[in-house]
């Protein structure tokens, strides 16, 4: 008797039947890649810009001039060349290969946007359960802002892809010297693609320190940081020396654009930082994905102390450090447009994929048990964490009541007071109920259900 191996169609059918969520996640990946190339040369419509996206011309202008005329004409304004030399270099190669057009100008960005999805899939497929993987891929593939930035000739998505590669390196099971050096070099590539990626270099220092201290102590952390920073600084020093030797006569004109750089480090006011969560056009999408990160954080609470060195916990903790530190950075700086803020969606998606998996596998009862094991002060913080989304959903009702009393509900301080009041009440009820399974189940399901109804 002879037997033959099942064909690819049979294997695909068995795979889809065994895990429909995994099949859906794969379809989301394919659809996300297709959307980044479909009608790539069409005129974009994006609420963050009025009409045509003029920034596209600025970020490829020098590459376009070099491809069309054989030289760079606008030497009196080289800010975009100075900030994104590698992006302009790759754009020049695309223009040489495919001609100067909207399609060729956006091709590199679309490739990077697709690569972002593929790398995220490869990272999460062995860490997340199929439903959590599906949720993370939906965030990355279909978020409107990320999708639009993957279809226009600006360097943001390319930087996101390079940062995700750095993260993957730093999460290696064996983080030795070679990987730290390579991570520093790749972060240098990110800065070459867009100089505004420089602050994220400090984020990786925090990630390296947190992991090395946990695994080998403070001395190991300092050694890891030193190797990473050495690899990060060395190419910049060599490039500076080479530029001085070959192009010293032109450096003065190029560096004259430095006068605009202080705007990138000006600090934001406390009002503008807080107002982002209430008034920014991005607050809706950030609130939706933030709800997923909240579920992921609740799932992380269920991990016992002896699992902090496991692979899944390591990925989640590093992504959370990346997410929180970048959020602090974007709220602290005065000049931080939406295309910069969108970068935080990448660590948010990783947190969602890994943390929701923890919650899915542990269950609601494990959340109640874990919360009751904390000391009194920590239990208050955990109760506030559990109560926060419910308070966010209920707070607008309190502002409506304030409006009936003659108080302007549009004032930021009124919104904050109402949110704080509802949060205090829900936190108190949660503590009084001693994190009962029923209470935790309501706190988990109510904001998710209410958000879906609102959407």
């Amino acid at each position: 008797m002879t037997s033959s191996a099942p064909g690819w169609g049979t294997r695909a059918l068995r795979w889809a039947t065994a895990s429909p969520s995994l099949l859906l996640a794969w379809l989301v990946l394919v659809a996300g890649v297709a959307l980044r190339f479909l009608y790539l040369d069409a005129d974009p419509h994006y609420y963050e810009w009025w009409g045509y996206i003029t920034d596209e011309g600025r970020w490829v202008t020098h590459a376009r001039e070099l491809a069309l005329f054989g030289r760079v004409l606008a030497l009196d304004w080289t800010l975009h060349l100075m900030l994104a030399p590698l992006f302009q270099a790759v754009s020049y190669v695309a223009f040489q290969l495919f001609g100067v057009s909207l399609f060729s100008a956006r091709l590199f960005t679309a490739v990077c946007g697709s690569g972002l999805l593929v790398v995220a899939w490869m990272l999460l497929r062995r860490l997340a359960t199929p439903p959590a993987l599906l949720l993370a891929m939906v965030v990355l593939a279909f978020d409107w802002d990320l999708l639009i930035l993957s279809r226009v000739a600006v360097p943001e998505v390319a930087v996101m892809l390079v940062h995700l590669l750095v993260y993957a390196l730093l999460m290696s099971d064996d983080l030795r010297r070679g990987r730290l050096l390579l991570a520093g070099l790749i972060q240098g590539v990110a800065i070459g693609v867009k100089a505004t990626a420089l602050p994220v270099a400090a984020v990786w220092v925090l990630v390296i320190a947190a992991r090395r201290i946990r695994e080998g102590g403070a001395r190991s952390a300092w050694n890891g940081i030193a190797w990473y920073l050495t690899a990060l600084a060395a190419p910049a020093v060599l490039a500076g020396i080479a530029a001085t030797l070959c192009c010293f006569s032109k450096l003065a004109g190029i560096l004259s654009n430095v006068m605009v750089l202080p705007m990138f480090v000006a600090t934001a006011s406390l009002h503008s930082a807080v107002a982002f969560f209430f008034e920014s056009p991005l607050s809706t999408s950030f609130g939706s994905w933030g709800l997923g990160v909240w579920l992921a954080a609740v799932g992380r609470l269920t991990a016992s102390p002896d699992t902090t060195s496991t692979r899944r916990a390591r990925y989640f903790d590093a992504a959370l450090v990346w997410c929180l530190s970048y959020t602090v950075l974007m709220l602290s700086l005065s000049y931080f447009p939406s295309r910069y803020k969108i970068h935080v969606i990448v660590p948010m998606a990783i947190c969602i994929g890994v943390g929701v998996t923890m919650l899915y596998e542990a269950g609601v009862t494990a959340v109640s048990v874990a919360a009751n094991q904390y000391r009194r002060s920590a239990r208050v913080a955990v109760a506030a964490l559990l109560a926060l989304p419910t308070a966010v959903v209920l707070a607008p009702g309190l502002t409506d009541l304030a409006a009936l009393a003659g108080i302007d509900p549009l004032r930021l301080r009124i919104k904050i007071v109402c949110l704080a009041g509802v949060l205090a009440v829900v936190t108190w009820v949660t503590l009084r109920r001693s994190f009962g399974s029923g209470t935790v189940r309501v706190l988990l399901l109510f904001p998710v259900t209410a958000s879906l109804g609102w959407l």
Side-chain angles (χ1 to χ4, degrees):
M1 179 180 291
T2 60
S3 61
S4 59
W8 68 268
T10 304
R11 292 196 301 269
L13 181 61
R14 290 178 180 177
W15 179 63
T17 305
S19 181
S21 295
L22 189 60
L23 174 62
L24 286 175
W26 183 83
L27 292 176
V28 167
L29 170 64
V30 173
V33 172
L35 286 174
R36 279 150 177 79
F37 289 95
L38 187 66
Y39 299 114
L40 189 57
D41 57 350
D43 288 343
H45 176 72
Y46 185 42
Y47 65 90
E48 277 294 309
W49 279 288
W50 294 345
Y52 193 74
I53 301 181
T54 55
D55 267 23
E56 282 193 280
R58 295 169 181 160
W59 290 113
V60 299
T61 180
H62 299 91
R64 185 176 64 247
E65 290 177 354
L66 189 60
L68 290 175
F69 308 111
R71 62 192 180 95
V72 175
L73 303 178
L75 286 176
D76 57 331
W77 181 252
T78 56
L79 177 65
H80 294 82
L81 177 60
M82 183 174 63
L83 290 179
L86 291 183
F87 184 79
Q88 298 250 13
V90 176
S91 298
Y92 169 74
V93 173
F95 289 147
Q96 289 291 97
L97 293 176
F98 305 105
V100 178
S101 65
L102 283 174
F103 178 85
S104 59
R106 297 168 178 168
L107 182 61
F108 176 58
T109 306
V111 170
C112 290
S114 303
L116 185 70
L117 298 179
V118 173
V119 173
W121 170 277
M122 295 175 65
L123 277 176
L124 293 174
R125 64 178 179 173
R126 299 189 185 279
L127 292 169
T129 56
L133 175 62
L134 172 61
L135 184 58
M137 294 307 299
V138 165
V139 173
L140 292 174
F142 298 144
D143 177 81
W144 179 247
D145 300 276
L146 187 56
L147 176 60
I148 289 295
L149 288 179
S150 298
R151 292 175 51 86
V152 293
V154 293
E156 306 306 325
V157 174
V159 173
M160 294 183 207
L161 172 60
V162 179
H163 281 161
L164 185 58
L165 294 175
V166 176
Y167 170 82
L169 265 177
L170 295 180
M171 291 300 100
S172 302
D173 292 335
D174 188 9
L175 187 59
R176 293 187 178 183
R177 181 187 307 171
R179 288 187 172 90
L180 289 166
L181 290 172
L182 185 57
L185 290 173
I186 296 178
Q187 173 59 27
V189 171
I191 297 171
V193 173
K194 182 105 181 277
T196 52
L198 179 60
V200 183
V203 174
W204 304 132
V205 170
L206 296 178
V207 171
I208 294 170
R211 179 174 178 183
R212 282 297 190 102
I213 288 175
R214 178 183 300 167
E215 297 178 354
R219 184 180 181 85
S220 174
W222 284 115
N223 288 337
I225 293 171
W227 286 114
Y228 161 74
L229 292 178
T230 298
L232 176 64
V237 173
L238 294 176
I241 294 174
T244 303
L245 294 177
C246 75
C247 313
F248 183 78
S249 60
K250 299 179 180 179
L251 281 180
I254 295 175
L255 295 179
S256 64
N257 296 284
V258 174
M259 66 181 65
V260 304
L261 295 184
M263 65 179 286
F264 291 109
V265 295
T267 57
S269 65
L270 179 61
H271 179 275
S272 64
V274 177
F276 168 78
F277 298 101
F278 296 90
E279 301 172 358
S280 171
L282 291 174
S283 60
T284 300
S285 59
F286 269 70
S288 301
W289 310 142
L291 185 61
V293 175
W294 169 76
L295 284 172
V298 174
R300 181 64 177 89
L301 293 176
T302 63
S304 57
D306 58 350
T307 62
T308 54
S309 60
T310 61
R311 192 164 184 258
R312 188 173 287 162
R314 182 174 74 239
Y315 273 79
F316 177 84
D317 293 347
L320 188 62
V321 169
W322 181 7
C323 182
L324 293 179
S325 56
Y326 194 88
T327 300
V328 171
L329 176 68
M330 77 181 192
L331 296 178
S332 301
L333 296 178
S334 177
Y335 181 78
F336 217 90
S338 295
R339 63 182 182 275
Y340 293 5
K341 293 183 173 73
I342 297 303
H343 289 228
V344 79
I345 289 180
V346 177
M348 289 176 77
I350 297 173
C351 286
I352 291 171
V354 180
V356 170
T357 294
M358 295 180 179
L359 180 61
Y360 179 83
E361 294 183 343
V364 175
T365 303
V367 178
S368 301
V369 173
N372 281 306
Q373 291 177 347
Y374 287 96
R375 292 180 297 180
R376 178 65 183 178
S377 58
R379 290 178 69 195
V380 174
V382 173
L385 173 66
L386 290 171
L388 180 59
T390 299
V392 171
V393 173
L394 296 178
L398 188 57
T399 59
D400 292 340
L401 293 177
L404 294 176
I407 301 174
D408 184 4
L410 298 179
R411 297 184 64 182
L412 181 61
R413 67 178 61 184
I414 299 301
K415 296 178 181 179
I416 295 174
V417 168
C418 291
L419 176 59
V422 177
L423 178 60
V425 171
V426 179
T427 301
W428 178 79
V429 172
T430 304
L431 289 171
R432 288 282 294 177
R433 304 281 296 182
S434 299
F435 299 100
S437 296
T439 303
V440 172
R441 185 172 286 106
V442 170
L443 293 176
L444 290 178
L445 294 180
F446 171 70
V448 175
T449 305
S451 298
L452 290 175
W454 179 80
L455 288 173

